[in-house]
């Protein structure tokens, strides 16, 4: 990997965006490397933690790529949308740690996370319209994350805001005051995630995502089937036995 640092540990894959010379701007190479990581995930990986090197998460698209893309601009843009779709759909729990610039594509990446932790001074924004561009691939994920009314305000003003406001909007779940507090919150969240059965988490995540746009009746039918399968699954049996025996189930780290 040329643009990412990967560190697997205890069932968690830590992914660091590593183009700190340009505030981890999202190049096509970085998009392709992130998509390759997502495609190669296996059941041994229970969570992803995505952060940025050099005090920034991601400052958006790499303008150099836009200049050199020529007639391939639409394909370049759509590749980032595919990354967001694929990242949102992974069965693992996706956690982002947000510092410094969280702009454009970085904002979009934050929107597809399951849990977002931010520094209170992090700077969020959708600057595309101030550059004469559109948040083309990001927009649907922003709307899903914070709602249409707030998405319209932010996209049509290119307004910048901090981590405290991001938490108020529901973009992030936790805002911390310093790097040590960020690390402590991450440890706490990971500890909670690893108490949950990975298969049950994967099915639950799929169910929650499906609830956004699938008809209710068929969705509840599917949920009932998944529940029945869970009860008789290896995880379900282990979990209920552990409860009765007053011990931790085998998947707990």
């Amino acid at each position: 990997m040329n643009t990412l640092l990967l560190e697997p540990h205890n069932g968690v894959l830590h992914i660091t965006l590593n183009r700190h010379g340009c505030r981890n701007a999202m190049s096509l190479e970085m998009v392709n490397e992130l998509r390759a990581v997502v495609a190669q995930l296996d059941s041994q990986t229970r969570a992803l933690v995505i952060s940025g090197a050099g005090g920034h998460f991601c400052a958006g698209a790499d303008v150099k790529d836009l200049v050199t893309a020529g007639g391939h601009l639409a394909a370049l843009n759509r590749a980032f949308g595919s990354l967001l779709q694929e990242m949102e759909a992974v069965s693992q729990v996706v956690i982002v740690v947000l510092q410094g610039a969280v702009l454009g594509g970085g904002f979009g990446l934050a929107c597809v996370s399951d849990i977002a932790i931010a520094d209170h001074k992090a700077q969020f924004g959708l600057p595309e319209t101030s550059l004469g561009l559109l948040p083309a691939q990001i927009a649907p994920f922003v709307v899903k994350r914070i709602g249409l009314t707030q998405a319209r305000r932010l996209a049509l003003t290119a307004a910048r805001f901090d981590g405290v406001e991001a938490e108020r909007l529901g973009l992030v779940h936790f805002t911390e005051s310093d790097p040590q507090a960020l690390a402590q919150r991450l440890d706490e969240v990971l500890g909670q995630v690893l108490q949950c059965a990975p298969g049950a988490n994967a099915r639950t995540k799929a169910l929650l995502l499906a609830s956004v746009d699938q008809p209710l009746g068929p969705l509840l039918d599917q949920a009932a089937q998944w529940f029945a399968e869970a009860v008789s699954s290896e995880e379900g049996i282990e979990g209920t036995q552990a409860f009765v025996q007053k011990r931790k189930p085998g998947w707990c780290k």
Side-chain angles (χ1 to χ4, degrees):
M1 296 289 172
N2 294 320
T3 69
L4 306 175
L5 299 177
L6 304 179
E7 182 184 355
H9 177 69
N10 197 29
V12 179
L13 178 60
H14 294 263
I15 304 172
T16 304
L17 310 181
N18 190 37
R19 302 185 73 223
H20 52 83
C22 56
R23 298 189 299 170
N24 303 315
M26 188 71 65
S27 64
L28 180 58
E29 183 178 27
M30 183 182 282
V31 170
N32 288 336
E33 289 188 353
L34 282 167
R35 293 184 72 187
V37 170
V38 168
Q40 294 168 18
L41 292 173
D42 58 33
S43 60
Q44 301 304 308
T45 303
R46 298 172 59 181
L48 307 180
V49 176
I50 307 174
S51 60
H56 293 281
F57 183 66
C58 175
D62 189 333
V63 176
K64 293 178 183 178
D65 275 5
L66 304 182
V67 171
T68 59
H72 303 288
L73 273 168
L76 171 66
N77 188 247
R78 186 64 182 88
F80 181 66
S82 295
L83 167 63
L84 294 180
Q85 286 181 291
E86 292 157 7
M87 186 68 73
E88 183 177 58
V90 298
S91 60
Q92 290 79 9
V93 179
V94 178
I95 303 166
V96 292
V97 180
L98 307 170
Q99 295 175 282
V102 190
L103 306 173
F107 193 116
L109 197 55
C111 284
V112 299
S113 68
D114 297 304
I115 303 166
I117 306 168
D119 183 272
H120 72 296
K121 291 183 179 179
Q123 285 295 298
F124 296 80
L126 298 172
E128 288 85 355
T129 51
S130 68
L131 302 173
L133 306 174
L134 286 69
Q137 300 299 307
I138 304 164
F141 300 96
V142 177
V143 171
K144 189 186 297 185
R145 186 73 165 209
I146 63 173
L148 179 59
T149 297
Q150 295 292 0
R152 286 162 69 176
R153 175 178 70 86
L154 295 175
L156 300 176
T157 62
R160 300 290 177 92
F161 57 97
D162 62 14
V164 175
E165 177 69 1
E167 183 175 1
R168 189 190 72 80
L169 291 170
L171 174 59
V172 307
H173 301 95
F174 304 102
T175 305
E176 305 298 342
S177 59
D178 57 62
Q180 182 179 354
L182 278 174
Q184 290 174 344
R185 179 67 72 178
L186 176 60
D187 286 345
E188 176 186 325
V189 168
L190 283 172
Q192 293 167 339
V193 169
L194 296 177
Q195 296 298 307
C196 301
N201 259 0
R203 277 283 172 89
T204 297
K205 182 173 175 177
L207 178 62
L208 293 170
L209 289 171
S211 70
V212 174
D213 51 22
Q214 286 194 17
L216 182 58
L219 180 63
L220 293 177
D221 290 340
Q222 179 68 78
Q225 182 60 41
W226 284 354
F227 180 80
E229 292 172 2
V231 170
S232 58
S233 71
E234 182 177 332
E235 281 187 356
I237 293 170
E238 167 64 7
T240 53
Q241 288 182 347
F243 178 80
V244 170
Q245 296 167 5
K246 297 182 180 181
R247 60 174 175 82
K248 290 185 177 182
W251 58 76
C252 286
K253 298 292 185 178

